[in-house]
Amino acid sequence: QVQLVQSGAEVKNPGASVKVSCKASGYTFTSYHMHWVRQAPGQGREWMGIVYSSGNSNSAPNFRGRVTMTRDTSTSTVYMELSSLTSEDTAEYFCARELGGAGYFDFWGQGTLVTVSS
Amino acid sequence: QSALAQPASVSGSPGQSITVSCTGSSSDVGSHTSVSWYQHHPGQAPKVIIYDVSNRPSGVSARFSGSKSGNTASLTISGLQAEDEADYYCSSYASSSTYVFGPGTKVTVL
């Protein structure tokens, strides 16, 4: 069955970077896009960007220059690295799968809590 | 502040029907059919329950239905059950290959 398993919770200092992973299984990894979405405490969900099935990526304007999304096809893992962290980046980060062009996310990871605190 | 607006909470008694609204703009909900709804029980992975405004994925109860009018999409849960108590999020495709979400609605079964 399809599974998206994310890495564990992280605590980071302001100014640091964090790298969250999302390991996929149960389907053909290169046939689907993977998105990253986050939810800060008391806030709504925020779309961060996408790694296309081709391997290219695109990020939301709010994160451009600060987020790097990559993938490793040998391990079916997608990575999201966010730099120059501030307290406002404290959030739960999710990966979510999309069949190309479908326009919705059919499977989600369980979420990774990133806490930014000095 | 979320791009899409949802009520913070909606409640109903078992067996009743409730509707959750999701209001966007002509740049997202109003101009795209890629409106979807997600059920999220805290601690679990979110689950898609409606896609393309009104389609249900295989395995999702027919008690869940979706619709759209103008810039507002709606999720209706009929025959409310205890297991429906969860957070519900709407999402829409927006411009330039981006997506927007609502803040979520907490559904409580009284």
Side-chain angles (χ1 to χ4, degrees):
Chain A
Q1 72 282 22
V2 174
Q3 288 193 75
L4 301 177
V5 179
Q6 297 184 223
S7 49
E10 302 261 14
V11 179
K12 294 292 183 181
N13 290 325
S17 298
V18 68
K19 192 170 187 177
V20 179
S21 66
C22 170
K23 183 172 175 59
S25 61
Y27 69 97
T28 302
F29 179 68
T30 52
S31 294
Y32 289 78
H33 304 332
M34 194 74 80
H35 296 256
W36 288 95
V37 176
R38 77 175 186 180
Q39 182 164 13
Q43 305 294 315
R45 296 199 170 172
E46 184 176 22
W47 183 81
M48 299 181 68
I50 178 175
V51 179
Y52 293 101
S53 57
S54 64
N56 295 332
S57 63
N58 183 40
S59 57
N62 286 352
F63 296 97
R64 222 155 270 166
R66 208 162 64 91
V67 69
T68 303
M69 292 170 290
T70 57
R71 73 176 189 179
D72 182 346
T73 56
S74 69
T75 60
S76 300
T77 302
V78 178
Y79 299 91
M80 186 283 300
E81 183 170 22
L82 189 63
S83 62
S84 303
L85 294 171
T86 72
S87 59
E88 294 186 347
D89 294 313
T90 293
E92 191 163 25
Y93 291 76
F94 295 90
C95 58
R97 188 185 84 159
E98 178 203 359
L99 179 62
Y104 68 96
F105 316 108
D106 65 347
F107 279 95
W108 293 67
Q110 82 278 16
T112 296
L113 180 62
V114 174
T115 302
V116 183
S117 173
S118 55
Chain B
Q1 189 171 357
S2 299
L4 306 179
Q6 296 181 237
S9 63
V10 174
S11 61
S13 300
Q16 285 187 329
S17 292
I18 61 168
T19 296
V20 180
S21 62
C22 170
T23 301
S25 70
S26 58
S27 298
D28 37 66
V29 175
S31 57
H32 296 287
T33 58
S34 295
V35 177
S36 51
W37 289 89
Y38 303 88
Q39 179 190 62
H40 189 200
H41 291 101
Q44 299 182 18
K47 172 186 173 184
V48 59
I49 54 173
I50 295 288
Y51 68 94
D52 290 351
V53 175
S54 59
N55 292 314
R56 274 189 318 276
S58 173
V60 172
S61 173
R63 298 185 298 103
F64 295 94
S65 61
S67 62
K68 188 181 84 165
S69 177
N71 296 338
T72 298
S74 298
L75 169 72
T76 298
I77 309 174
S78 58
L80 200 60
Q81 298 181 2
E83 66 249 33
D84 299 332
E85 190 161 291
D87 296 320
Y88 292 82
Y89 295 86
C90 61
S91 175
S92 173
Y93 182 83
S95 59
S96 303
S97 301
T98 63
Y99 289 82
V100 290
F101 287 88
T105 297
K106 183 175 181 59
V107 168
T108 301
V109 181
L110 302 172

